[in-house]
Amino acid sequence: MPTPIIRIDNIVKRYGPLTVLDGLSMEVMPGEKLALIGPSGSGKTTILRILMTLESISGGHIEVDGEQLYHMPRGKDLVAADERHLHKMRERIGMVFQHFNLFPHKCVLDNVTLAPMLTKGIKRTDAERRAMELLEMVGMADKARSVPAQLSGGQKQRVAIARALALSPKIMLFDEITSALDPELVEEVLNVMRRLASETDMTMLLVTHEMGFAHDFADRVLFFDRGRIVEEGKPNDIFRNPTQERTQSFLRKIIAAGHRI
Ligand SMILES: Nc1ncnc2c1ncn2[C@@H]1O[C@H](COP(=O)(O)OP(=O)(O)O)[C@@H](O)[C@H]1O
Ligand SMILES: [Mg+2]
């Protein structure tokens, strides 16, 4: 049996009196494509942000690629991770957000090469060669010298995907990357994601309301509600034969809102 690349063990996350994640546990196998679905406020973004070390945790343990994320060994004990450990672990994970957060005054090529050059010390020529390959893959090579203001939302999001990939993370997190886009721009981004899922063996966790896409993309679907995983399984089982009442009612609402499954 291969070992999981992510082990989330009994994670608790509180904001003051509000418990957002309530003893969440899950494992992800290397190369697995996971879709996280569930109502707004159920904790999907929070778990991705915790994996990206953008949040702290209130309890529990997370192991990424064989090492603790928020803890580190000291002698026989596990102690809270210091900034250096977090920095090292962060390099294994990349994230694409709902809003693209591109550098507005830099061209597309610079947006993709900047982080590899600054954080990994990669030479400009090498960074640019890799960036052009990635821009080719997301269909944006011809816009390498454009600035973000000259691009559509879908094009910006495709650049944001290339930028995250340029750091060669082992794990990629995608948080509702099409929800801020005009409807006619959604498909071009989903097509890039389909290619990415089929052509790479990267581990991917994706939060989405596009159930049809989640069905095609995911090896496994996790249904979140109120900070817990209520149901999980293969896309066909979750979407065609959900067993839990909360999953059924969520999917009914999604269909009523005009989404395809
Ligand atoms: N910084 C924060 N401070 C207080 N509450 C927060 C914060 N971030 C998220 N929450 C709350 O945590 C819960 C889960 O949020 P989130 O993970 O964004 O849900 P989802 O992505 O599933 O919609 C929500 O109730 C939200 O209001
Ligand atoms: Mg969210």
Side-chain angles (χ1 to χ4, degrees), residues 39-46 98 175-176 207 209:
S40 178
S42 58
K44 308 178 299 294
T45 293
T46 302
Q98 181 175 347
D175 192 5
E176 299 206 35
V207 173
H209 285 293

Side-chain angles (χ1 to χ4, degrees), residues 24-36:
L24 183 79
S25 297
M26 59 187 259
E27 293 188 342
V28 187
M29 299 308 285
E32 208 177 7
K33 315 289 184 268
L34 280 196
L36 280 52

Side-chain angles (χ1 to χ4, degrees), residues 4 14 16 28 97 103 115-116 118 140 151 153 188 192 197 203 238 241:
R14 293 189 199 95
V28 187
F97 302 85
F103 305 118
L118 291 177
M140 291 297 294
L151 307 179
E188 67 187 50
V192 165
T203 306
I238 297 290
N241 299 303

Side-chain angles (χ1 to χ4, degrees), residues 5-120:
I5 189 164
I6 302 175
R7 264 189 235 266
I8 294 176
D9 180 20
N10 209 15
I11 289 297
V12 177
K13 173 66 181 173
R14 293 189 199 95
Y15 290 109
L18 180 70
T19 301
V20 174
L21 298 178
D22 189 12
L24 183 79
S25 297
M26 59 187 259
E27 293 188 342
V28 187
M29 299 308 285
E32 208 177 7
K33 315 289 184 268
L34 280 196
L36 280 52
I37 64 168
S40 178
S42 58
K44 308 178 299 294
T45 293
T46 302
I47 192 64
L48 294 195
R49 288 177 56 84
I50 285 174
L51 283 169
M52 199 63 205
T53 69
L54 296 169
E55 297 284 346
S56 59
I57 52 176
S58 317
H61 289 86
I62 299 179
E63 192 184 291
V64 171
D65 198 21
E67 282 186 82
Q68 288 289 316
L69 184 58
Y70 284 97
H71 299 84
M72 56 185 198
R74 180 173 297 157
K76 284 186 189 149
D77 298 329
L78 270 186
V79 299
D82 59 17
E83 192 46 49
R84 197 160 145 240
H85 180 82
L86 289 174
H87 183 83
K88 178 185 82 175
M89 296 302 289
R90 209 174 277 145
E91 291 201 340
R92 301 178 186 179
I93 309 183
M95 185 157 174
V96 182
F97 302 85
Q98 181 175 347
H99 297 284
F100 341 100
N101 314 324
L102 296 176
F103 305 118
H105 304 297
K106 302 277 182 195
C107 72
V108 163
L109 186 63
D110 288 348
N111 263 281
V112 181
T113 56
L114 228 56
M117 285 165 52
L118 291 177
T119 68
K120 295 200 153 177

Side-chain angles (χ1 to χ4, degrees), residues 123-177:
K123 279 191 299 188
R124 178 180 292 277
T125 48
D126 294 336
E128 290 189 348
R129 190 179 322 118
R130 174 83 182 124
M132 288 310 294
E133 281 171 17
L134 291 168
L135 289 172
E136 195 73 53
M137 190 190 69
V138 301
M140 291 297 294
D142 59 331
K143 300 281 187 195
R145 295 295 172 188
S146 302
V147 290
Q150 297 169 314
L151 307 179
S152 72
Q155 291 176 325
K156 282 186 229 182
Q157 199 55 298
R158 288 186 279 144
V159 172
I161 293 170
R163 183 179 59 172
L165 292 172
L167 286 164
S168 309
K170 290 192 168 178
I171 300 164
M172 282 279 287
L173 312 175
F174 301 91
D175 192 5
E176 299 206 35
I177 61 170

